[in-house]
């Protein structure tokens, strides 16, 4: 089975994540996409990070109508911060028959050379790169046989922006699935 791994804090998961994942699952040979909720990204601060169980619950709520999507908490029991290579080793041991493919925004590809053991990742795993607007968007995409650029829609919604808007009492309903909006609103999160 070909599994796309969509790593992220999902703090919170928003419609941009769903649009990109849906585009990729409908326009690739992937059988499923797993949303891998990261407890701590080594490149991000932890102070605004909601608890793991809240983010896992929001991902489950957001993807419940998408049969080819699945939430994964595999990183919850790994050492922190989370490194993609360590997660891939665990997943390959646990699911030896699966072929894992990484879904990555073009902005992350620009700093990919800073990732732990990035050479191993690119050697053994395919990367599907979706477009993002970045300051270096004109920079050519890294050329490698395991890197494939997909022409998914460019979504400029961010979890950071959503958290800021919630804190400022602004309406974020259009940016979240109704289930996630209700969960955040009902639990008074990000205030």
């Amino acid at each position: 089975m070909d599994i796309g791994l969509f790593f992220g804090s999902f703090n919170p998961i928003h419609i941009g994540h769903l649009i990109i994942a849906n585009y990729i699952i409908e326009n690739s040979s992937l059988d499923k996409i797993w949303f891998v909720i990261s407890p701590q990204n080594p490149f991000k601060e932890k102070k605004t990070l909601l608890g793991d169980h809240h983010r896992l619950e929001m991902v489950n709520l957001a993807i419940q109508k998408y049969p080819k999507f699945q939430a994964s908490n595999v990183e919850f029991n790994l050492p922190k911060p989370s490194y993609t290579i360590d997660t891939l080793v665990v997943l390959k041991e646990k699911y030896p028959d699966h072929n894992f493919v990484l879904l990555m925004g073009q902005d992350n590809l620009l700093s990919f050379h800073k990732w732990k053991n990035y050479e191993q990742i690119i050697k053994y795993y395919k990367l599907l790169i979706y477009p993002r607007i970045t300051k270096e968007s004109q920079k050519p995409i890294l050329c490698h046989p395991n890197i494939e650029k997909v022409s998914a829609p460019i979504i400029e919604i961010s979890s950071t922006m959503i958290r800021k808007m919630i804190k400022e009492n602004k309406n974020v309903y259009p940016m979240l699935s109704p289930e996630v909006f209700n969960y955040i609103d009902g639990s008074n999160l990000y205030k």
Side-chain angles (χ1 to χ4, degrees):
M1 192 176 287
D2 291 338
I3 307 293
L5 299 175
F6 196 172
F7 288 86
S9 301
F10 303 112
N11 188 34
I13 187 169
H14 53 70
I15 61 161
H17 296 123
L18 297 174
I19 291 168
I20 289 165
N22 189 69
Y23 180 90
I24 292 172
I25 199 77
E26 294 297 334
N27 293 284
S28 73
S29 61
L30 294 177
D31 298 299
K32 281 188 171 272
I33 290 179
W34 293 358
F35 288 73
V36 182
I37 299 107
S38 300
Q40 186 185 347
N41 178 323
F43 297 108
K44 291 185 180 179
E45 284 187 52
K46 195 173 178 175
K47 65 179 185 184
T48 60
L49 194 62
L50 209 58
D52 297 348
H53 68 285
H54 282 302
R55 292 179 295 116
L56 176 62
E57 181 61 22
M58 287 190 286
V59 169
N60 277 318
L61 288 169
I63 66 173
Q64 63 189 351
K65 295 177 184 154
Y66 299 85
K68 293 181 180 180
F69 293 173
Q70 181 177 320
S72 171
N73 64 357
V74 65
E75 291 191 340
F76 288 13
N77 298 314
L78 298 180
K80 290 158 188 64
S82 308
Y83 293 101
T84 302
I85 188 66
D86 299 334
T87 307
L88 290 168
V89 167
V90 168
L91 287 173
K92 202 65 193 159
E93 285 174 3
K94 195 170 180 179
Y95 305 99
D97 297 335
H98 289 358
N99 178 37
F100 293 106
V101 175
L102 278 73
L103 311 183
M104 184 187 302
Q106 187 173 345
D107 53 335
N108 286 322
L109 189 62
L110 297 173
S111 61
F112 185 62
H113 63 283
K114 296 178 183 174
W115 290 27
K116 179 182 175 186
N117 298 6
Y118 76 94
E119 305 96 334
Q120 269 187 285
I121 296 172
I122 204 163
K123 183 177 180 181
Y124 296 110
Y125 298 92
K126 184 175 175 182
L127 277 60
L128 290 182
I129 307 299
Y130 57 88
R132 294 289 301 261
I133 295 174
T134 66
K135 292 182 179 105
E136 300 179 59
S137 61
Q138 301 309 313
K139 188 174 180 177
I141 203 160
L142 190 60
C143 288
H144 191 281
N146 278 347
I147 294 179
E148 180 185 333
K149 189 171 181 184
V150 294
S151 58
I154 297 175
I155 308 293
E156 285 303 302
I157 298 172
S158 75
S159 297
T160 304
M161 177 182 73
I162 291 170
R163 291 192 309 270
K164 184 178 183 289
M165 288 179 69
I166 291 171
K167 203 172 203 96
E168 295 170 352
N169 252 352
K170 294 181 178 172
N171 183 11
V172 295
Y173 188 81
M175 298 174 208
L176 303 166
S177 71
E179 297 84 1
V180 171
F181 177 85
N182 291 335
Y183 184 84
I184 291 170
D185 195 48
S187 302
N188 211 26
L189 301 175
Y190 302 117
K191 297 270 181 180

